[in-house]
Amino acid sequence: MALTMNDMDRFKASMPRLEAIAYRLLGSASDAEDAVQDTFLRWQAADLDRIEVPEAWLTKVLTNLCLNQLTSARARRETYVGQWLPEPLLAGDPMLGPADTVEQRESVSYAVLALMERLSPNERVVYVLREAFDYPHRRIAEILDITEAASQQIFHRAKKHVSDGKARTEIDEAAARRIVEEFLAAATSGRTEPLVRLLTDDAVSIGDGGGKVPARAKAFEGALAVAKFMRGLFKPGKAKRAIAGGSPEMYATTANGAPAVVAVVDGRVIGVMCLEVTSEGIAAFRNQVNPDKLERATRRWAATEHGEPLLIAF
């Protein structure tokens, strides 16, 4: 069925919200784009005269597509090589979606996206729609074909699962840069002690190489273990340069609203290190080096100004 210009405009107006929902649900920008495209195909084939509230219809279709993907993703991740981490989004990426409230910013933080892997597909949908987009439980219940009371129960259960007991700290861009600068200075000092002072006692470091780039399958745990790993990571070496394809330029930025180190070689993003910061110090490093999950970051990087690198590693 051919769409009118008005039909196209209605869908285009909904795209930013649909992409932001899909990214939070799937943790993958490429999968989110595919889900929105599939939603458009269903919009194109639908009898639009019978759709009374396009926003509600589109959200329900997108959510069902994402639920199917989440179910199959669980099976795929059983065979995933090493740790699985979400795809990071660099500062200003429109797929980050609304950031007006603490809840909206928190829902797209890298730390929370990683924690949402604990949730069942239904729990993730309820949590995202309620926490990030303030959907009333009545509408969520209609989307999932459950009762309003069930939606409320699922939300409270999901919120409990996502909460890990650490009070994350809200950080602006200038503060994020200072934190990254301090971390890089400590990491390249050649000593462990400056790094340990920046970390919480129970700090962790997790890497996702997807079997394509070397990344330790088991997380480093504890301030001393993480500090030793970071000290070694930034120690120059020919083997590291060979793996990276050159000497990476290290920049300070934000990813998913939190401080991040971006490693770039010849204009290509080869790694994004997301820092989880609490009032006690840096609690976690989540390092995305799987090239399949850095394509959007590379495109975003090429389209924005980023100044001079803080250092050239290796």
Side-chain angles (χ1 to χ4, degrees):
M1 181 181 296
L3 296 181
T4 66
M5 287 299 296
N6 184 53
D7 295 334
M8 289 291 293
D9 289 343
R10 284 194 294 175
F11 185 84
K12 286 179 180 179
S14 296
M15 275 188 67
R17 179 180 54 83
L18 295 175
E19 287 189 340
I21 291 173
Y23 172 70
R24 284 167 167 81
L25 290 178
L26 301 174
S28 165
S30 57
D31 287 348
E33 289 172 344
D34 289 344
V36 172
Q37 178 61 27
D38 287 346
T39 301
F40 172 73
L41 294 177
R42 283 158 176 74
W43 173 256
Q44 190 176 35
D47 184 352
L48 302 185
D49 290 336
R50 300 183 64 181
I51 297 175
E52 295 181 3
V53 186
E55 178 188 338
W57 188 92
L58 290 168
T59 303
K60 184 177 179 70
V61 170
L62 176 83
T63 301
N64 285 328
L65 289 167
C66 289
L67 280 170
N68 291 337
Q69 284 212 43
L70 285 169
T71 302
S72 61
R74 285 182 168 236
R76 290 199 307 272
R77 286 172 198 167
E78 289 178 2
T79 59
Y80 193 83
V81 178
Q83 299 277 348
W84 186 95
L85 289 173
E87 181 177 345
L89 297 181
L90 300 184
D93 192 310
M95 197 176 279
L96 289 168
D100 299 325
T101 67
V102 172
E103 290 78 13
Q104 288 171 339
R105 293 189 292 274
E106 182 85 344
S107 71
V108 79
S109 72
Y110 209 62
V112 167
L113 285 176
L115 288 169
M116 278 201 283
E117 290 299 304
R118 302 176 180 179
L119 305 182
S120 70
N122 268 14
E123 286 174 339
R124 191 158 181 163
V125 167
V126 173
Y127 180 83
V128 165
L129 292 181
R130 180 63 182 162
E131 191 79 347
F133 296 91
D134 200 29
Y135 275 55
H137 284 291
R138 173 183 54 78
R139 287 186 60 193
I140 297 172
E142 291 170 356
I143 289 170
L144 292 177
D145 294 323
I146 58 177
T147 66
E148 189 171 343
S151 177
Q152 293 170 339
Q153 291 172 355
I154 290 171
F155 175 70
H156 291 305
R157 188 166 66 240
K159 198 161 187 177
K160 184 177 179 180
H161 287 325
V162 168
S163 174
D164 64 349
K166 290 188 177 69
R168 281 172 281 274
T169 303
E170 290 250 12
I171 294 170
D172 61 24
E173 192 171 337
R177 183 179 178 86
R178 289 195 298 272
I179 290 168
V180 171
E181 288 175 343
E182 190 175 2
F183 161 67
L184 288 177
T188 56
S189 69
R191 296 182 297 124
T192 304
E193 294 78 12
L195 277 165
V196 171
R197 288 196 292 270
L198 296 179
L199 309 178
T200 61
D201 291 341
D202 59 350
V204 298
S205 178
I206 305 167
D208 179 350
K212 299 185 177 184
V213 174
R216 191 170 186 258
K218 191 174 184 296
F220 291 92
E221 299 180 353
L224 184 58
V226 171
K228 287 181 177 179
F229 166 67
M230 290 297 169
R231 185 190 64 188
L233 180 65
F234 284 92
K235 187 177 181 180
K238 290 182 179 179
K240 294 175 187 173
R241 286 195 295 274
I243 291 171
S247 295
E249 298 174 338
M250 299 292 184
Y251 295 85
T253 186
T254 59
N256 295 74
V261 181
V262 176
V264 181
V265 174
D266 296 331
R268 177 173 55 90
V269 175
I270 65 163
V272 177
M273 178 184 290
C274 300
L275 282 59
E276 181 183 345
V277 180
T278 71
S279 58
E280 288 79 34
I282 301 173
F285 298 89
R286 295 181 175 88
N287 313 310
Q288 185 55 260
V289 291
N290 182 346
D292 293 343
K293 298 182 183 181
L294 295 172
E295 293 178 0
R296 186 180 179 95
T298 294
R299 295 196 302 271
R300 178 73 191 169
W301 191 257
T304 55
E305 293 291 332
H306 33 72
E308 296 297 316
L310 294 177
L311 65 89
I312 298 177
F314 312 157

